[in-house]
Amino acid sequence: MSVSPRPAVMGENLKADPEVIQAVQNAMGNNTETAEEKLREYLEFKSKVPLNIAITGGSGNGKSSFVNAFRGVDDDDDHASPTGVKETTMEVKEYPHPNYPNVIISDLPGIGTTKFPASKYLKLFGFNKFDLFIIISADRFTENDAKLAKEIDKMKKKFYFVRSKVDVDLQNEQRKKNFSEQKTLAEIREDCVKSLKQHGIESQQVFLVSNHHIHLYDFSLLQETLQRDLPDHRKDALLLASPSIFPGIIEKKKKFFRYQIWFLTALSSVVAAAPLPGLSVGVDLSLLVGAVTHYVFAFALDISSLRRTAARTGISYDELIAVLKSQLAAKEITKELITKVILQLPGATKVIVAEEVSKFIPLVGIPMSMTFSAATTYNLLKLFLDMLAEDAQRISDRIITDKCRARDML
């Protein structure tokens, strides 16, 4: 793909923060490092919004495995929540997301394992710091679960019921004559809703999940529901930390970053207005490195994430690497790497030189330079984003194919 001197799409609204643009304009009079720092501050802002999700339920219900699944971590990982049939959590344990430490999954003791009633339970463990609660059961929901939900509701917090280990139930039911997966899932869901109704909880949605096969059943629906219910400033935090195994999540992340491209393009054109040789190219490279690094981590295409994916899925790291096509995945994103990739694109060198030379053309030079810089930045960011989103989809396809094949062999 060649580097076009004109953005490919002009139909979206650009909503750049005037204060940030003004800060970059002011920084241009100083040095490249100051301008770069302003760009880094913007790029890091979205990944620092705090989000704290509380997970609770009785012992042996799969809370810890759910915490690990949510974070994309294998149960045997050094940073995993400890699992076991006994209650292993007697205090709040916080587990930050490995790529987005602002997103914390808190493992709470099961309410049935403490001596405190639901109202005191929430106060004891500091309910105010949690944005939402997920109540997990591997069977019917209990009276304690319902009491806890009512207390959470009184405090105007969101809560969700998750029925775990449905894959185990399905395997047990497969031995029966006339087995139907769809019918069994409907029966499990109906039984959960019925048990909640018996304890005074009406019309509750119950999400059926398998902590070891998150691509199946309702895990993606749960993610979508949580994101829908969160305040706007926390929706993006959850989205970025969500597993990229789901095509819908990959597409949402792609749209999120595509919107940011317009902001970064505006910054690029502002910096290009400074008639200082080398400033725009230097800042643009930093901008590209920062943005692409965010893409790589959000799509779990960095080396650490790919190794965690390999451990969790049983697919070897080398097999995952083999499906990648871009030169940006599974690499440290540096100016040298970005430059190498850019220079392999047809017409790239001409556009960069044209931007630098145009600055010194009387009257029209600065507007020309701004146009070149904005167009080049836009097209490169869009190209790199598309490349990495496609790699994320390849990883997703590989995992789902492997999991479905293993499932069919049971």
Side-chain angles (χ1 to χ4, degrees), residues 47 49-53 55 66-74 77-81 92-107 237 241 308:
S47 62
V49 176
L51 176 64
N52 201 328
I53 300 173
I55 312 296
F66 181 86
V67 169
N68 295 334
F70 206 100
R71 298 165 59 237
V73 173
D74 185 63
D77 190 277
D78 291 341
H79 302 288
S81 174
V92 177
K93 299 285 185 66
E94 295 185 346
Y95 297 94
H97 188 279
N99 283 357
Y100 294 95
N102 56 303
V103 177
I104 297 174
I105 316 299
S106 293
D107 192 353
R308 285 193 296 269

Side-chain angles (χ1 to χ4, degrees), residues 186-197:
E187 289 173 349
I188 293 172
R189 196 185 309 275
E190 183 181 351
D191 189 53
C192 289
V193 172
K194 183 179 178 181
S195 66
L196 288 169
K197 186 175 182 180

Side-chain angles (χ1 to χ4, degrees), residues 64 118 144 358 374 398:
S64 296
N144 280 331
S358 64
R398 177 68 178 81

Side-chain angles (χ1 to χ4, degrees), residues 97-356:
H97 188 279
N99 283 357
Y100 294 95
N102 56 303
V103 177
I104 297 174
I105 316 299
S106 293
D107 192 353
L108 277 61
I111 188 170
T113 64
T114 70
K115 298 178 181 179
F116 302 96
S119 57
K120 292 185 178 180
Y121 173 94
L122 289 175
K123 292 176 182 177
L124 175 67
F125 295 117
F127 74 93
N128 277 326
K129 69 180 178 182
F130 302 115
D131 297 290
L132 52 89
F133 294 78
I134 294 176
I135 304 171
I136 295 181
S137 176
D139 201 343
R140 305 188 89 202
F141 288 94
T142 66
E143 183 179 2
N144 280 331
D145 295 327
K147 285 180 178 179
L148 180 58
K150 291 174 185 177
E151 290 298 324
I152 295 170
D153 189 52
K154 285 180 185 177
M155 296 170 180
K156 307 301 181 184
K157 296 275 187 174
K158 292 284 187 179
F159 61 91
Y160 306 85
F161 290 105
V162 168
R163 170 59 158 81
S164 64
K165 302 184 180 181
V166 294
D167 52 324
V168 176
D169 294 283
L170 289 170
Q171 287 180 29
N172 292 335
E173 289 294 314
Q174 281 179 345
R175 303 187 184 96
K176 296 182 179 180
K177 203 172 184 179
N178 300 322
F179 165 76
S180 166
E181 179 176 300
Q182 187 174 3
K183 181 181 177 182
T184 302
L185 290 172
E187 289 173 349
I188 293 172
R189 196 185 309 275
E190 183 181 351
D191 189 53
C192 289
V193 172
K194 183 179 178 181
S195 66
L196 288 169
K197 186 175 182 180
Q198 289 173 346
H199 298 304
I201 303 290
E202 295 280 351
S203 304
Q204 276 299 326
Q205 184 176 18
V206 176
F207 298 92
L208 310 184
V209 305
S210 163
N211 295 332
H212 300 290
H213 305 281
I214 64 172
H215 63 290
L216 300 174
Y217 320 120
D218 295 340
F219 201 99
S220 62
L221 178 61
L222 173 62
Q223 292 273 348
E224 291 172 10
T225 305
L226 298 183
Q227 189 181 10
R228 182 195 65 205
D229 291 350
L230 281 168
D232 287 342
H233 63 292
R234 287 189 167 87
K235 290 181 188 292
D236 295 337
L238 178 63
L239 173 63
L240 293 175
S242 296
S244 292
I245 188 175
F246 306 113
I249 293 293
I250 293 172
E251 188 58 33
K252 283 185 179 181
K253 289 183 179 183
K254 186 176 175 180
K255 287 181 180 178
F256 169 80
F257 285 121
R258 186 168 285 180
Y259 173 79
Q260 280 193 350
I261 288 177
W262 282 104
F263 183 91
L264 298 175
T265 298
L267 291 178
S268 177
S269 64
V270 167
V271 173
L276 302 175
L279 177 60
S280 179
V281 172
V283 172
D284 281 354
L285 275 177
S286 290
L287 183 152
L288 291 171
V289 168
V292 173
T293 298
H294 277 269
Y295 302 164
V296 169
F297 277 89
F299 289 124
L301 295 172
D302 57 291
I303 294 173
S304 294
S305 292
L306 287 167
R307 292 197 183 281
R308 285 193 296 269
T309 299
R312 182 161 184 81
T313 61
I315 303 172
S316 74
Y317 176 78
D318 289 340
E319 288 179 281
L320 294 177
I321 293 294
V323 306
L324 302 175
K325 300 296 183 184
S326 77
Q327 298 179 58
L328 300 170
K331 300 231 180 24
E332 180 185 358
I333 306 302
T334 63
K335 289 184 179 181
E336 291 73 23
L337 177 61
I338 292 292
T339 301
K340 177 182 175 182
V341 175
I342 291 174
L343 292 178
Q344 292 176 359
L345 301 173
T349 304
K350 292 181 180 179
V351 172
I352 294 172
V353 172
E355 177 191 338
E356 288 300 299

